[in-house]
Amino acid sequence: MSDPFSHYFSQLSEQVPNPPIVAAGKLVRGIGLTLEAVGCQLPVGSQCMVQTIEGEIEAEVVGFGDDITYLMPTEAVRGIVPGSRVMPLNRQSGLPVGPGLLGRVLDGNGQPLDGLGAISAHTRVPTTRPPMNPLIRMPIKQPMDVGVRSINALNTVGIGQRMGLFAGSGVGKSVLLGMMTRGSEADVVVVGLVGERGREVKEFIHDILTEEERQRAVIVAAPADTSPLMRLKACETAVTVAEYFRDQGKNVLLLVDSLTRYAMAQREIALAVGEPPATKGYPPSVFARLPALVERAGNGAQGQGSITAFYTVLTEGDDLQDPIADAARAILDGHVVLSRKLADSGHYPAIDIEASISRVMPMVVSEEHLLQARRIRQVYSTYKQNQDLIAIGAYARGSDPRIDLAIRAEPAINAFLQQGMKQVLPFSECHEAMQALATGLGNG
């Protein structure tokens, strides 16, 4: 297959055959996260090197105003003084990609973190692309096996779907991502660990993934202690890597933990360069970048592969009306909600099947599967709605046949929804277990 990016790069080279040489500038001010320079009229997104009394640090142009160019360092700021020299970097543009990425751990710039040497890459691709024409995308028609019973059976995901994983902190998001990584039938798994604890990066690589699973995975990591620019770029790098393998005809599983940290990184940058806050401190650019990022996943055109994506979304105080959660829910193809109450009771994975939904499930499963899943949901919901009455003994057996059935079925449904952390359940096995459970519940 020809390189899908060659035409795009050729257009760029025709538009700018000889990039202008930009003179060096100097710093005039450093406030908060940004540095202000004069004398270097670089376009937004350009890389430059700032000379300090302790060496050199790399920075990126994130905005401008009048004669001032705003720079965002990609690392900790040390030794900055007024008048520090700013030199443009003449480096090859684009992210290096190729089959050599498999099994590697990268930072936000696509540079190796694993100490295994340079990345073997045969081409470079831009980290931003023009939006894909929605009419050339292949439709979502096949279910995706993620190895998790409650998702396979009751919230079936289609190949090419974009799902959100909504939860507060500490209820098992990362563990569930690891379960899906092990149980997925995807050709390639791309994991973006953005703004999370640094400890989780090594845990994910060595404890959650086996050696065989690491050979089909690419991990992009930018922990919480990296700069907001690196966290922003890490998410975009993970999506770019997934796009590359999709364009090679592969079925890719993209896991981003988390979309909220991506939004927070953009908020930090936008506020630092003077963009006004809009909703709960988030400036408008955040809500413009979220759909642009999410829409890059999905099925490709005829002859290409697919990107099935899961984005974790942190809900502050378990509030599903948080601005980022609300915006994500509107642009994703469904959401899986993790319940703190279930997690506290030892119910794992702590998926709240009442609050979760897959919008493409009717397109990828049979009518019989839909009816069975609906029946299980109905009985489970009946029990939850009357749980307090049942717990205090206020409900008299025989008063309502539906509640009587829900009480009898509750242990079986709970057992069905729970699964061991290292247990992988194929789609066919999940379907058979759901059939047996639904048959026992009757037609209602």
Side-chain angles (χ1 to χ4, degrees), residues 97-374:
V97 293
L101 289 173
L102 295 174
R104 302 301 301 270
V105 183
L106 316 176
D107 67 8
N109 285 323
Q111 299 303 311
L113 286 175
D114 49 18
L116 299 179
I119 301 292
S120 175
H122 62 268
T123 188
R124 285 179 175 266
V125 298
T127 54
T128 58
R129 296 174 64 175
M132 180 182 287
N133 184 339
L135 298 183
I136 68 172
R137 286 187 187 269
M138 297 298 293
I140 300 174
K141 294 293 185 183
Q142 294 179 291
M144 172 82 169
D145 186 357
V146 296
V148 180
R149 184 164 49 209
S150 55
I151 296 179
N152 279 347
L154 304 180
N155 294 287
T156 311
V157 177
I159 295 177
Q161 185 174 356
R162 287 81 56 95
M163 288 284 284
L165 198 58
F166 290 70
S169 57
V171 295
K173 295 185 307 300
S174 299
V175 172
L176 183 56
L177 289 181
M179 292 172 68
M180 290 191 289
T181 303
R182 286 192 300 273
S184 165
E185 59 182 11
D187 302 318
V188 176
V189 178
V190 180
V191 183
L193 300 175
V194 181
E196 298 299 319
R197 295 178 289 273
R199 168 184 61 81
E200 291 183 343
V201 177
K202 192 165 186 177
E203 276 186 7
F204 197 94
I205 297 168
H206 296 288
D207 297 341
I208 295 180
L209 299 181
T210 65
E211 181 63 34
E212 181 181 353
E213 288 155 0
R214 285 198 291 271
Q215 296 311 307
R216 65 175 180 127
V218 183
I219 297 173
V220 183
D225 58 350
T226 57
S227 71
L229 186 63
M230 286 296 284
R231 282 177 264 142
L232 198 73
K233 292 167 73 71
C235 198
E236 294 171 353
T237 294
V239 175
T240 301
V241 171
E243 286 177 323
Y244 165 76
F245 284 107
R246 177 187 65 189
D247 293 341
Q248 303 304 308
K250 305 291 187 183
N251 287 328
V252 182
L253 176 64
L254 171 65
L255 306 173
V256 176
D257 187 13
S258 69
L259 193 65
T260 306
R261 303 299 188 198
Y262 173 81
M264 288 180 172
Q266 173 60 21
R267 177 176 64 178
E268 291 177 48
I269 295 171
L271 293 178
V273 298
E275 187 177 349
T279 307
K280 286 194 176 180
Y282 287 98
S285 62
V286 172
F287 301 101
R289 294 193 75 141
L290 285 177
L293 181 80
V294 169
E295 283 296 321
R296 293 172 64 178
N299 284 338
Q302 182 71 38
Q304 296 180 340
S306 66
I307 301 175
T308 306
F310 281 84
Y311 302 91
T312 67
V313 180
L314 291 170
T315 52
E316 296 181 8
D318 299 323
D319 178 17
L320 293 178
Q321 305 309 314
D322 172 83
I324 299 304
D326 197 44
R329 193 163 47 241
I331 58 179
L332 293 168
D333 301 323
H335 50 271
V336 173
V337 177
L338 298 187
S339 163
R340 185 174 302 278
K341 187 175 181 181
L342 288 175
D344 290 344
S345 67
H347 183 292
Y348 288 103
I351 296 174
D352 184 348
I353 62 170
E354 289 183 289
S356 304
I357 188 172
S358 171
R359 292 176 181 165
V360 306
M361 183 175 175
M363 294 181 276
V364 298
V365 298
S366 65
E367 186 67 26
E368 180 191 18
H369 186 133
L370 275 177
L371 292 174
Q372 291 167 348
R374 187 179 306 157

